[in-house]
Amino acid sequence: MSSQPDKTIEALLLEKRQFPPRKSFQEQANVRDPSIYRKADRDFEKFWAGFARELTWYKPWKRVLEWKPPKAKWFLGGKLNASVNCIDRHVLGPRKNKAALIWEGEPGDQRLLTYRELLREVGKFGNVLKSLGVRKGDRVTLYMPMIPELPIAMLACARIGAIHSVVFGGFSAESLKDRINDQGAKVLVTADGGWRRGNVVPLKKISDDALSDTPTIEAVVVVKRTGQPVGFDPKRDRWWHELMAGASARCPPEKMDAEDPLYILYTSGTTGKPKGILHTTGGYLVGTYATTKWVFDLKDEDVFWCTADIGWVTGHSYVVYGPLANGATCLIYEGAPDTPARDRFWDLVERHGVTVLYTAPTAIRAFMKWGTEWPEKHDLSSLRLLGTVGEPINPEAWIWYQKNIGGGRCPVVDTWWQTETGMILITPLPGLTRTRPGSATFPFPGVRATILDPAGREVKVGGGYLAITRPWPAMLRTIWGDEERYVSTYWTKWSRDVYFPGDGAKRDKDGYFWLLGRVDDVMNVAGHRIGTMEVESALVDHSAVAESAVVGISDDLKGTAIAAFVILKEKKSGPPAAGLHDELRGHVAKKIGAIAKPDKLFFVADLPKTRSGKIMRRLLRDIAEGRVLGDTTTLADSAVVDTLKAQYEEKEA
Ligand code: WTA
């Protein structure tokens, strides 16, 4: 979230550095014909159908697109299976013994799965799920660390037609429970724990807490990862390795309709409840396949490493479906970038010969802070392309990445997209685009994006709201169980055929897009979306709290940090009890997960509100960031702000 949009726009306007693709890269690039933009734009259905034809279908589609705004169907009548496209079709050819997944755990243990081996594991787990009563259309929740069993479980669901829903391992028991109940999941797959900075994340214990009130769950499958003792309910719980030992590897894939659901993934919205974003099979696979091939210039010799956790959409699209559909070799790493030391990523790149690296600005800023001595210890010459995603990247971080990680020779692709879009929508093409640090450059071929003002008028040059004005194959189809919210959140800002992503953006005179962050009440903390409302609800849930307001504030490392203003209940007035400050931060972590824990928390007597009762978040941000107060003339009681400001200054002193 950019708290000073004007300043950001000015800074970006001054960014004049340009990086044309190097000749040596261009000559070998998967796409190097600039006319592709024009061709794709002229007939985008034909363009996408071209990629679809590179995949394996049981039955071809009858129609590429049916667009009844805001409802789209892609590849109507087509039948396919996502796991077949990610595995079987490679096993049938020369890739059968190629490494599909190279995995490294945080403690340093390693596993390599060829496409053939992956097929066997996926087939076995598909049969395990069936033996537990999972059928086509049933939901399976995956709450797991970054271990090979996670993509195996996802692909096994896809194979038998079950809908998977991965819940990031950093979420709390409450968050897990809410998601399980929202989707009515039949089976939960988890692990005894996972490694993070040398500690065990107790996933099974958290699952047990979550499962106290999840009536639809019939069975829990537990991967033994860390080996620490866990509670085990013999009626409900099963060990992964025991079930797999008895399972057949032959698991005929379900013939799925292109529009059959593939997965649900939750993301934060402006109201309290996370939204279950629903993706379907055909269009999603085509979109992730195409963007992986062109944006990451993927070749058979590449070792592709997307560092995102599979619990987020980036991991779904660019650790699992996109790269595997391309027959790539993917590196997966379980743990933290600073364990055992701050060169873990560079050690991984060197040892595994990573060629394409896709990571997030928040990580790049941390690397910058740690200093160049860490990457300098390693030979990073295998790298040939770098990517970034998750939040706006500051030009300085972009340059640092290009120079110190890419050795000045690798193109950098800054890719803009969302959980909802399923695939990259705004991005350079590394063999074609002259990049500018901080700009995601242009819409992917076939995609139409623009900038609109609040009234829906196009902004040719300048700032406004980002809008996507044409359907794309991997687009979300609905919010699970809440069609109305789907329509109202994304398709009513202007008209029902224009998608509203909730991001501010600017277009320069050369048509480059510069993304400026969220314009709604969603914070982007270290690349993860958290609704201000979610944190506020968690705070108010504590018995001492009467009201709260949460804002995102600028943070050098995380991009955005969380600041919470808390009003305590009357009877508790007087100075807040010692320890309450930390207790409340801990309470949020318990309710949502550690990622949502407020970085700053202030006790206040009142909150600045407009006459209509809306909390003035801009003002709170100014206060929390220690800036001069903005215009306060619309405040119902301006004394409130003075008190707030005084308290803030006292706290900081
Ligand atoms: C932000 C992650 C600027 C944006 C794939 C978007 C970005 C939200 C970029 C989606 C980028 C993502 N430049 N901002 N390259 N990529 N964003 O759903 O605000 O976790 O709306 O998907 O991240 O976050 P999500």
Side-chain angles (χ1 to χ4, degrees), residues 160-175:
I160 66 167
I163 306 171
H164 63 70
S165 183
V166 184
V167 177
F168 171 60
F171 277 119
S172 67
E174 291 241 3
S175 299

Side-chain angles (χ1 to χ4, degrees), residues 1 267 312-314 358 361 388-393 414-421 426 438 440 501-504 514-518 524 527-529:
M1 177 178 309
T267 191
W312 309 109
V313 75
T314 305
Y358 190 31
T388 156
V389 62
E391 52 181 316
I393 181 162
D414 173 6
T415 63
W416 178 91
W417 60 295
Q418 310 179 294
T419 305
E420 292 87 340
T421 70
I426 304 181
D503 276 18
W514 302 79
L515 281 305
L516 302 175
R518 306 290 308 176
N524 193 324
H528 303 310
R529 284 161 63 179

